Amino acid sequence: MIPGLKSKASKEFIMGKIHFIFDEFFRSFQKGIINNILLMIMFSICITMTVLMSSYYLDLGERTSDSVSNYDEDGTWYNIRFEGQDWIEVEKSFETAKDSQKVMDYYKEVYSIPSHPVMSINTIQQILLIEEECDKYIPEDKVRMFEPQDFPGGSFGAKIDGVDEEYRQFKAIHCDTDAYEYFGFKTVKGEGITRDNTTLNSPSDELPVVLGSSYSEFMDVGTKLRIAIDGTDYLFNCKVVGILEQGSKVYNFGSSGQGLMSLDSHIIFPCGINLNFETTDNNVLARYAYVNYHSLETCQMMFHYNTEFREIAELFSQIGDKYNLPPMSSTGSSMGQRLFRKEAVGNIRIMLIISICLVCFTLFSLFLIIHNKIKNNQEIYGIYLMNGCSTSMITIPFMMEIAAIIIPSLILGKCIFGQEMSSVYFNADVIINAVYMVVLAAYLLGVAFLVCIMRGVDTEKLIKNGE
C-alpha cells in the first residue's frame, strides 16, 4: 500500500473509533437522562456533605499561619471571637438587666474552660477623654504625642452617656488581668491591672487604668478621669492606679507584622470586670456587660493539640445554647466547625449518619445503573462485538458517562468552597483539593465496578445474542 494512503486509512480508522465512542456515549447518556440527572444531584450533595463532615471531624490542614495569634512553649494561642454578624445579635443583649447578666455569665463560663487559658488584649481600640479634663493635666503642645498617629488630632463634639462635651482620642490598649500578667507589665508607681481592682464592690467604684511612662510628668497615681471606649455610648469613671516602667512594650496584635509597640504614650484600660454586688439597674449592668463582651471580642485561647478544636467548638455551641447567645469560634477552627457552630452536637452527628447513608445509596445507585445498562443492552453490545468492536470500545463510553455524572459535583464544590467564606483564617486551596480527592475517589470506584462487570461478561454469549 502506498504510504500516504496507509496513513490516511489509519487516521480514518482512529477517527471512526473516536466517532463511535462519542456516539455510544451520547446514546447511552440520553437513554438514561433522568437517572443521570438524579445521580448528578445526588453526587453533588454527597461530595459537598463529605467535604463538610471531613472538615468538621478531621484535620484537613486548613489552618494557616495567619490564624495563630501567639506561640508559647505550653501551646499555641488562637483568637476566639463571634463569627460573621453574630456580634450584632450579642449587642442587642443589653436591653434588660436579665440580658446583661447573661452576657456577664457567658463571659465567666468561657474564661473557666479547663486546661485552656484565655486572655484578652486589644492594641487597636482607642479611648476618648473629655478635653476639659485633659487640659487640666496635659499642655496643648504636649497632647499630640498621646493621640493616634493616624488621627488628625484635635477635639470633636459628642454626647456620650448623657455627657455633651468636646472629646479627644487617645492611644490605648485594652487588656484583662490574665494578659497583664502574661506579658509581664511592671509599674514604677502604684499597681497594675489586678483581680482585686477589677472586682467592683459597688456601682460607684472606679475602673483602674495604668498610664505609660510619658504620662508621669503630667499625671500621678490617684488621678481620676472619665473615659469612653471609642464607638460606644458608655462613659466610665476611672482612676489611675499605676505608671508603667519606661520602655514597656507589647506585640501589636492589630498589625499584620505583629511587631512590638511601645506603651510609653499609651493608657491601659481594663477589660474583664467582675461585680461583687447585685443590682437590677441595667444602666450599671449593661456598661460592664459591654466591657466583658468587648473582652470576648478580643480573646485568645491556648490550644495544645489539633484534635482540641472540635472539642472546643462543641463546647462553645453548648455555652451558646445555655445562654441563648451566639457561640464563639476560634480562628484555628476548620471551615466545617465554623459553619456548624450553631448546631447542637447531636444534630451534627445525625447529619454525619445521613451523609454516610446518602453516599452509600448514591454509589449503590451508580453501580446498579451501570449493571442494568449493560444487562439491558446485551443485544446491542453483541452486535458491536460481532462486527469486530473490542470490549474497551464499550467500556470507554461508560467511563465518560460516569465522568459526566460526577463532573457537576466538582464544579459545584469549587463554587461553594472556592470562596473563603468571608474569612482569611483557613486555606481554601486545601478544601478544593479535598473536593478533587473525593471526586476522584468516586470516579475510580465507579470505573473499578465497571471493569469488574465487563470482565465477567461472556462475550461469546453477547455475540450469539447479536446474531
Side-chain angles (χ1 to χ4, degrees), residues 25 43 54 104 164 182 228 246 297-298 381:
F25 162 69
F43 265 109
S54 298
M104 298 289 284
D164 193 354
Y182 179 84
Q246 186 175 7
E297 275 286 86
T298 55
Y381 298 150

Side-chain angles (χ1 to χ4, degrees), residues 22-37:
F22 276 94
D23 280 350
E24 178 60 20
F25 162 69
F26 287 115
R27 182 196 69 79
S28 178
F29 191 89
Q30 187 176 9
K31 189 174 181 181
I33 186 69
I34 295 177
N35 289 334
N36 288 338
I37 290 175

Side-chain angles (χ1 to χ4, degrees), residues 219-448:
M219 300 182 190
D220 205 345
V221 174
T223 300
K224 295 186 178 182
L225 300 167
R226 285 183 290 175
I227 297 176
I229 302 175
D230 191 15
T232 74
D233 193 36
Y234 296 110
L235 191 64
F236 297 92
N237 294 319
C238 302
K239 183 174 70 172
V240 177
V241 296
I243 307 291
L244 285 176
E245 287 183 344
Q246 186 175 7
S248 297
K249 294 181 179 180
V250 72
Y251 290 110
N252 186 356
F253 293 101
S255 68
S256 57
Q258 202 166 293
L260 287 171
M261 58 181 283
S262 172
L263 298 180
D264 289 345
S265 57
H266 283 65
I267 296 175
I268 299 182
F269 186 88
C271 55
I273 304 299
N274 296 304
L275 302 183
N276 194 27
F277 61 89
E278 295 183 2
T279 180
T280 56
D281 184 355
N282 194 45
N283 187 46
V284 174
L285 271 177
R287 63 182 61 243
Y288 297 119
Y290 187 88
V291 171
N292 287 359
Y293 154 70
H294 180 62
S295 178
L296 289 173
E297 275 286 86
T298 55
C299 270
Q300 300 177 29
M301 175 178 279
M302 181 183 284
F303 289 81
H304 308 283
Y305 309 102
N306 289 340
T307 54
E308 294 177 319
F309 288 99
R310 180 169 64 86
E311 298 170 9
I312 294 299
E314 292 176 352
L315 188 55
F316 281 155
S317 177
Q318 293 169 7
I319 294 173
D321 286 342
K322 181 177 179 179
Y323 296 104
N324 195 27
L325 289 168
M328 301 188 74
S329 65
S330 163
T331 53
S333 297
S334 68
M335 177 191 64
Q337 289 160 5
R338 293 189 199 180
L339 290 178
F340 296 136
R341 66 187 182 279
K342 294 185 178 181
E343 296 294 332
V345 177
N347 292 342
I348 297 173
R349 288 174 182 165
I350 291 172
M351 281 192 283
L352 175 64
I353 294 171
I354 292 174
S355 299
I356 293 172
C357 293
L358 183 60
V359 168
C360 294
F361 178 73
T362 303
L363 289 174
F364 173 76
S365 299
L366 176 65
F367 300 158
L368 188 63
I369 287 174
I370 293 173
H371 180 271
N372 289 341
K373 279 189 176 183
I374 293 174
K375 186 176 181 181
N376 295 335
N377 288 282
Q378 286 185 358
E379 186 175 343
I380 295 173
Y381 298 150
I383 295 172
Y384 291 161
L385 293 170
M386 186 179 63
N387 285 282
C389 179
S390 65
T391 54
S392 63
M393 296 286 286
I394 299 173
T395 304
I396 291 174
F398 265 115
M399 294 170 65
M400 292 170 62
E401 190 170 354
I402 295 170
I405 290 171
I406 295 177
I407 281 175
S409 62
L410 175 63
I411 297 171
L412 179 65
K414 288 194 69 174
C415 291
I416 293 175
F417 302 117
Q419 302 298 321
E420 295 195 8
M421 306 292 184
S422 302
S423 174
V424 297
Y425 291 113
F426 71 84
N427 189 347
D429 291 338
V430 173
I431 303 297
I432 297 300
N433 290 336
V435 172
Y436 289 151
M437 293 300 295
V438 174
V439 169
L440 179 62
Y443 177 72
L444 292 177
L445 280 172
V447 170

Side-chain angles (χ1 to χ4, degrees), residues 160-172:
I160 301 176
D161 213 356
V163 179
D164 193 354
E165 290 281 356
E166 291 290 316
Y167 292 87
R168 279 185 178 273
Q169 197 172 46
F170 279 71
K171 291 186 285 188

